[in-house]
């Protein structure tokens, strides 16, 4: 619903008004009781009293004070003014005028008509105002009552003739109440069902918890007993092992005692056999004296052998010499012989 | 239905078979209020098993994936509520598990709106009741433990309860992930919080966690047993039951036995057994009685425990004449162990 005209205040404070072009509508003398916007009668603009006739260009109103703030517009205005002035001056110059008066004379305006008029610059004016009458409110249209025609007739519905309320309302009521009760029954049954299920579940859970506890208790018991048994068995085994060890130890001891009993005499015997027990003097004689004796004996014998050898060598040498001598003699004998 | 036309919060529902598909088509609109209305109507419809079946088999669950990432928190909340309705039926649960909706759902755990988080917890809780669902949720357990550790005490109690119950279901299936992410110390803190629901669920998780040996050893520290003793004298029967269950589990190992004997747990358990009960309380206390008997049985395996309990034989014999078969059996086992001699 855009309005055809639009006016607002610029940010500069200037008031602008713009309006979509629309045909001007005729105005009636009487105000309409309600302003309707449906039918607009468009009249001929040439015969509209509100339109200005004649030249509207010369009647430029004074530029408003606010317009001078716009420099471009101001300049245009000034240019226009200058041009207008120039034009006027040009026209003035072209127009022929009466020549100026000779010296000593002056032109004077004179009235030559029969009747003299008073000429003055002051134009007598009178103000006359005129104002249209106020709009008169249109008198209300008289009610239009058409003339009576036709025949009058009356009719009336008595109570109870159309229908019986109590009878008719029953099925409707039944349906309404029935549906409501049905829905509520459903909901209640649902809740009951749920409650039943819950109780059942709970009973089951409790039983299960019970049995679970029992089972666990028995399990624990089993475990404890088993562990106890194992511990006892382990203990027993240890005892047995200890016993066995002790028996072994005893046997070992007895055996070793036995073994060691015959050890001592045999040791002594063997030592004696190996000569570890000896008579010191004997030993001493054997060790010290006898070798010395033997050594001395050896020396003596050695001396004898040396002496014998020496003798042998002497004999040998002697015989050798003799042999040589004999040989020499032989040769000497032979050589002088020939 | 007339109700739909009159209620501005709900979209109009088509008749018969066309209802669910049309609502899902409406869900693909852009504007949030329209989607919210369609979701609300869907939540109402899905109570009916037929419609639920239609939803699940019509392959509409993929559209819900987009909705889970919507900016409007109320849309997310309503979607989670719808998923929660789905988990109340078996086919819904199976469909949820086999669809790819779980990762965005896990992402919503950190959502800013608390009602959305609550609904996500409801969905996870519903899923965890199913063994396959608990299996699928096992990778989520570390993240849940982290959330539990960071959760402040005062607010979001319902969330805590739901989270703990999901954890207990998952831990019953496989306690190892929860133990690995330091489950026991975190739960020790939650045991002392004031709401009985929180305590009950925390004790249940602890009971599931103390089934493997490692868990038993972790729980066998003194401060936990002291806290459990306090819980044994709590007002709520469920809390007492779960605490007795935890004790029952930890006294199986020897350290547990001796710890409990030191801290005088035996008189407390005996007092719980010897309470006179009326008929309607009998059923609720049955589990408590059975757990106490089992705990005493385990304690009787230690020599000190045996000597303590030998004096209490009349009490145990009274219990063995009880009406309930399970109680009788448990009491007879207890008597047998107490009177055993090596």
């Amino acid at each position: 619903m855009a309005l055809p005209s639009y006016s607002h205040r610029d940010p500069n404070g200037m008031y602008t008004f713009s309006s979509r072009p629309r045909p001007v509508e005729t105005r009636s003398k009487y105000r309409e009781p309600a302003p309707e916007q449906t039918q607009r009668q468009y009249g001929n603009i040439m015969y509209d009293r509100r339109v200005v006739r004649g030249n509207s260009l010369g009647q430029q109103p004074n530029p408003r004070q606010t317009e001078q703030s716009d420099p471009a517009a101001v300049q245009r205005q000034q240019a226009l003014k200058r041009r207008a002035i120039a034009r006027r001056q040009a026209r003035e110059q072209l127009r022929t005028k009466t020549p100026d008066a000779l010296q000593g004379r002056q032109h004077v305006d004179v009235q030559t008509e029969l009747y003299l008029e008073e000429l003055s610059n002051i134009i007598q004016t009178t103000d006359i105002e005129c104002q249209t009458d106020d709009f008169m409110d249109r008198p209300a249209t008289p009610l239009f009552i058409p003339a009576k025609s036709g025949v009058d007739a009356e009719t009336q519905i008595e109570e109870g003739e159309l229908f019986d309320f109590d009878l008719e309302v029953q099925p409707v009521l039944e349906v309404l109440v029935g549906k409501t009760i049905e829905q509520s029954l459903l909901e209640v049954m649902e809740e009951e069902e749920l409650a039943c299920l819950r109780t059942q579940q709970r009973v089951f859970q409790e039983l299960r918890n019970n049995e679970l506890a029992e089972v666990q208790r028995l399990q624990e018991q089993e475990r404890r007993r088993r562990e106890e048994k194992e511990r006892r068995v382990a203990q027993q085994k240890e005892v047995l092992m200890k016993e066995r060890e002790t028996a072994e130890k005893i046997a070992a001891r007895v055996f070793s005692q036995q073994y060691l009993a015959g050890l001592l005499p045999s040791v002594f015997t063997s030592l004696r056999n190996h000569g570890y027990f000896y008579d010191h003097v004997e030993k001493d004689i054997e060790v010290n004296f006898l070798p010395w004796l033997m050594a001395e004996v050896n020396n003596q014998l050695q001396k004898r052998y040396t002496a014998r050898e020496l003798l042998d060598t002497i004999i040998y040498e002697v015989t050798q010499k003799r042999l040589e001598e004999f040989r020499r003699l032989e040769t000497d004998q032979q050589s002088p012989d020939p | 239905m007339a109700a739909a036309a009159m209620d501005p919060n709900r979209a109009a529902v088509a008749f018969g078979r066309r209802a669910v598909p049309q609502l899902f088509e409406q869900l693909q609109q852009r504007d949030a209020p329209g989607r919210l209305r369609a979701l609300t109507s869907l939540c109402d419809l899905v109570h009916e098993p037929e419609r639920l079946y239609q939803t699940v088999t019509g392959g509409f669950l993929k559209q819900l994936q987009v909705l889970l990432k919507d900016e409007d928190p109320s849309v997310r909340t309503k979607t989670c509520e719808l998923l929660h309705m789905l988990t109340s039926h078996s086919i819904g649960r199976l469909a949820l598990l086999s669809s790819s909706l779980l990762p965005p759902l896990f992402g919503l755990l950190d959502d800013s709106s608390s009602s959305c988080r609550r609904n996500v917890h409801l969905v996870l809780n519903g899923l965890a009741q199913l063994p396959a669902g608990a299996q699928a949720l096992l990778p989520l357990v570390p993240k849940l433990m982290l959330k539990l550790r960071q959760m402040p005490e005062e607010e979001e109690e319902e969330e805590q309860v739901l989270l703990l119950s999901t954890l207990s279901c998952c831990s019953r299936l496989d306690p190892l992930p929860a133990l690995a992410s330091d489950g026991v110390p975190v739960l020790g803190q939650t045991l002392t919080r004031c709401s009985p629901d929180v305590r009950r669920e925390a004790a249940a998780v602890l009971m599931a966690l103390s089934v493997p040996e490692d868990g038993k050893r972790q729980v066998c520290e003194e401060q936990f047993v002291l806290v459990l003793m306090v819980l044994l004298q709590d007002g709520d029967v469920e809390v007492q039951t779960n605490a007795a269950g935890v004790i029952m589990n930890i006294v199986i190992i020897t350290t547990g036995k001796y710890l409990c004997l030191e801290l005088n747990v035996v008189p407390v358990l005996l007092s719980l057994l010897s309470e006179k009960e009326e008929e309607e309380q009998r059923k609720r206390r049955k589990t408590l009685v059975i757990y106490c008997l089992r705990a005493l049985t385990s304690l009787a395996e230690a020599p000190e425990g045996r000597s303590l309990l030998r004096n209490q034989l009349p009490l145990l014999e009274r219990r063995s004449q009880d009406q309930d078969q399970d109680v009788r059996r448990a009491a007879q086992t207890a008597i047998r162990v107490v009177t055993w001699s090596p």
Side-chain angles (χ1 to χ4, degrees):
Chain A
M1 290 194 298
L3 290 169
S5 38
Y6 171 70
S7 62
H8 84 291
R9 284 216 175 265
D10 238 8
N12 300 342
M14 197 159 63
Y15 170 81
T16 57
F17 172 85
S18 63
S19 159
R20 203 186 281 169
R22 58 189 165 135
V24 180
E25 56 208 43
T26 50
R27 275 221 206 157
S28 59
K29 188 171 176 195
Y30 296 110
R31 203 189 301 157
E32 296 285 325
E36 298 158 49
Q37 302 204 348
T38 48
Q39 296 278 1
R40 294 179 191 229
Q41 273 109 20
Y42 307 123
N44 197 345
I45 199 170
M46 298 303 291
Y47 300 113
D48 200 329
R49 285 185 300 155
R50 295 170 288 173
V51 177
V52 166
R53 292 266 153 334
N55 191 7
S56 57
L57 285 178
Q59 303 169 232
Q60 200 65 269
N62 292 341
R64 282 181 285 267
Q65 292 298 324
T66 50
E67 232 185 276
Q68 283 185 355
S69 57
D70 189 2
V74 163
Q75 278 200 355
R76 257 184 275 122
Q77 294 273 343
Q78 286 174 351
L80 276 172
K81 264 190 243 152
R82 265 183 260 127
R83 259 182 257 137
I85 293 172
R87 250 184 273 133
R88 213 177 296 138
Q89 279 185 351
R91 239 183 285 139
E92 286 291 325
Q93 279 187 351
L94 289 173
R95 227 202 297 165
T96 48
K97 296 197 193 104
T98 42
D100 287 333
L102 293 175
Q103 189 143 19
R105 300 189 198 175
Q106 35 171 248
H107 288 303
V108 166
D109 285 328
V110 160
Q111 292 186 8
T112 51
E113 282 109 12
L114 280 178
Y115 303 101
L116 293 174
E117 292 177 13
E118 184 190 342
L119 299 174
S120 66
N121 284 340
I122 303 169
I123 305 168
Q124 281 184 330
T125 54
T126 47
D127 287 320
I128 299 182
E129 279 185 10
C130 174
Q131 172 75 20
T132 54
D133 290 334
D134 284 339
F135 276 123
M136 287 188 305
D137 280 333
R138 189 191 203 196
T141 0
L143 204 59
F144 173 62
I145 300 177
K148 182 160 180 280
S149 69
V151 182
D152 282 338
E154 273 183 18
T155 176
Q156 168 78 6
I157 297 180
E158 303 291 336
E159 239 186 74
E161 275 185 21
L162 264 188
F163 59 82
D164 182 11
F165 179 72
D166 291 326
L167 271 178
E168 300 295 331
V169 90
Q170 230 177 10
V172 176
L173 208 67
E174 269 179 23
V175 166
L176 275 176
V177 173
K179 282 275 178 193
T180 325
I181 293 193
E182 221 179 85
Q183 182 87 348
S184 39
L185 264 179
L186 271 174
E187 295 190 11
V188 167
M189 271 200 314
E190 224 180 60
E191 280 177 25
E192 262 194 38
E193 195 183 320
L194 272 177
C196 258
L197 283 173
R198 292 266 161 85
T199 14
Q200 206 184 31
Q201 220 178 19
R202 216 194 24 213
V203 164
F204 168 74
Q205 281 293 342
E206 284 161 8
L207 220 61
R208 175 178 177 270
N209 280 340
N210 247 337
E211 299 308 318
L212 200 65
E214 188 61 23
V215 159
Q216 283 193 335
R217 185 187 69 84
L218 286 173
Q219 255 178 3
E220 266 297 309
Q221 211 184 38
E222 254 323 296
R223 192 187 61 90
R224 270 202 324 260
R225 295 220 173 127
R226 193 167 26 99
E227 272 182 20
E228 191 63 34
K229 222 186 292 186
E230 273 178 20
R231 236 178 295 146
R232 295 233 173 127
V233 163
Q235 240 181 10
Q236 199 68 355
K237 264 198 218 152
E238 256 189 54
V239 162
L240 273 177
M241 239 181 51
K242 275 220 166 78
E243 265 182 37
R244 203 162 15 114
E245 260 187 50
T246 344
E248 271 182 15
K249 273 193 195 159
I250 292 178
R253 180 185 295 193
V254 165
F255 174 70
S256 55
Q257 259 183 357
Q258 229 183 26
Y259 184 67
L260 290 175
L263 189 65
L264 217 51
S266 70
V267 159
F268 277 135
T269 350
S270 74
L271 275 179
R272 198 170 294 135
N273 285 345
H274 283 120
Y276 283 98
F277 296 126
Y278 50 82
D279 192 8
H280 276 276
V281 175
E282 206 179 318
K283 178 94 188 253
D284 197 26
I285 293 181
E286 277 184 25
V287 165
N288 292 332
F289 179 65
L290 282 179
W292 174 80
L293 195 62
M294 294 302 292
E296 290 301 311
V297 164
N298 264 345
N299 280 345
Q300 289 288 348
L301 285 179
Q302 203 65 20
K303 280 185 198 160
R304 283 205 194 168
Y305 289 143
T306 342
R308 282 196 195 150
E309 262 187 48
L310 203 61
L311 200 60
D312 276 341
T313 16
I314 291 176
I315 296 176
Y316 182 69
E317 272 191 32
V318 165
T319 41
Q320 284 296 93
K321 269 189 188 159
R322 277 218 191 138
L323 194 61
E324 266 200 41
E325 288 231 358
F326 285 135
R327 224 179 255 143
R328 206 163 32 89
L329 273 176
E330 231 176 75
T331 48
D332 277 341
Q333 252 184 347
Q334 281 188 352
S335 50
D337 272 329
Chain B
M1 269 183 55
M6 290 192 303
D7 190 350
N9 288 336
R10 289 169 161 69
V13 172
F15 183 73
R17 245 177 3 145
R18 188 73 197 126
V20 171
Q22 194 206 32
L23 282 172
F24 269 105
E25 277 162 29
Q26 276 187 2
L27 275 180
Q28 297 191 344
Q29 290 173 8
R30 286 305 160 84
D31 59 329
R35 279 193 289 219
L36 198 57
R37 285 200 298 268
L39 277 173
T40 324
S41 308
L42 264 178
C43 284
D44 283 338
L45 281 181
V46 160
H47 283 282
E48 201 181 339
E50 295 267 326
R51 299 291 166 85
L52 189 136
Y53 179 75
Q54 199 180 13
T55 319
V56 165
T57 51
F60 295 117
L61 292 180
K62 292 189 280 295
Q63 291 184 17
L64 292 179
Q65 200 171 2
V66 177
L67 285 175
L68 279 175
K69 299 197 187 84
D70 199 84
E71 305 99 31
D72 188 8
S74 46
V75 171
R76 291 198 292 259
T77 316
K78 275 286 167 197
T79 318
C80 292
E81 204 180 304
L82 188 65
L83 289 174
H84 170 57
M85 301 285 170
L86 284 184
T87 56
S88 56
H89 287 263
S90 157
I91 36 164
R93 283 194 287 255
L94 290 174
L96 201 57
L97 280 177
S98 60
S99 78
S100 55
L101 279 175
L102 289 178
L105 205 61
F106 295 163
L108 276 182
L109 269 178
D110 300 318
D111 198 75
S112 48
S113 135
S114 76
S115 55
C116 185
R117 277 201 299 261
R118 189 182 73 91
N119 282 344
V120 173
H121 279 297
L122 277 172
V123 175
L124 289 177
N125 202 20
L127 266 185
Q129 311 279 350
L130 187 68
Q135 186 82 29
L137 287 180
L138 274 180
L140 193 59
V141 166
K143 185 166 177 190
L144 288 175
M145 295 299 305
L146 200 63
K147 272 202 94 58
L148 190 61
R149 204 178 315 186
Q150 293 165 347
M151 210 180 273
E153 175 174 339
E154 307 82 28
E155 34 180 283
E156 304 141 356
E157 183 189 295
E158 207 178 331
E159 263 190 61
Q160 273 190 16
V161 173
L162 288 170
L163 193 129
L164 283 169
S165 123
T166 317
L167 270 175
S168 70
C169 294
C170 291
S171 306
R172 255 177 240 139
L173 192 67
D174 187 7
L176 294 175
L179 273 177
S181 37
D182 283 337
V184 177
V186 176
L187 284 167
Q189 287 171 8
T190 46
L191 276 177
T192 50
R193 295 198 181 160
C194 37
S195 152
D197 291 327
V198 176
R199 284 199 297 250
R200 180 189 72 214
E201 293 297 332
V205 182
L206 212 54
M207 185 158 63
L209 281 185
S210 54
V211 164
E213 253 210 66
D214 196 19
K216 283 200 246 272
R217 268 196 288 269
Q218 279 187 18
V219 178
C220 270
E221 284 170 31
E222 193 171 314
Q223 77 254 37
F224 287 137
V225 181
L226 284 171
V227 171
L228 286 169
M229 271 182 61
V230 169
L231 285 181
L232 272 178
Q233 289 148 343
D234 198 88
D236 190 13
V237 174
E238 300 273 339
V239 179
Q240 282 175 332
T241 316
N242 285 343
V246 181
I247 293 200
M248 168 181 83
N249 275 336
I250 58 171
V251 296
I252 291 181
I253 58 173
T254 331
T255 2
K257 276 203 251 276
Y258 281 105
L259 194 59
C260 290
L261 283 171
E262 266 174 54
L263 295 175
N264 283 330
V265 174
V266 175
V268 181
L269 291 172
L270 285 169
S271 67
L272 279 173
L273 271 184
S274 59
E275 260 182 45
K276 275 255 171 279
E277 55 200 28
E278 302 94 34
E279 198 47 54
E280 98 271 354
Q281 261 197 349
R282 187 177 287 265
K283 278 206 202 65
R284 285 192 302 154
R285 289 190 90 235
K286 173 185 149 186
T287 333
L288 179 61
V289 164
I290 295 185
Y291 285 169
C292 291
L293 282 171
R294 295 248 185 253
L296 286 172
T297 318
S298 304
L299 280 172
E301 292 190 351
E304 295 89 354
R306 206 175 307 132
S307 56
L308 264 180
L309 288 171
R310 220 173 276 238
N311 307 335
Q312 305 291 334
L313 268 181
L315 176 62
L316 292 175
E317 300 210 339
R318 187 165 64 84
R319 278 292 167 181
S320 71
Q321 316 298 331
D322 200 275
Q323 296 167 352
D324 204 346
Q325 193 204 20
D326 295 326
V327 177
R328 263 208 303 265
R329 238 183 4 190
Q332 277 161 5
T333 329
I335 294 180
R336 208 174 41 230
V337 171
V338 168
T339 48
W340 178 79
S341 54

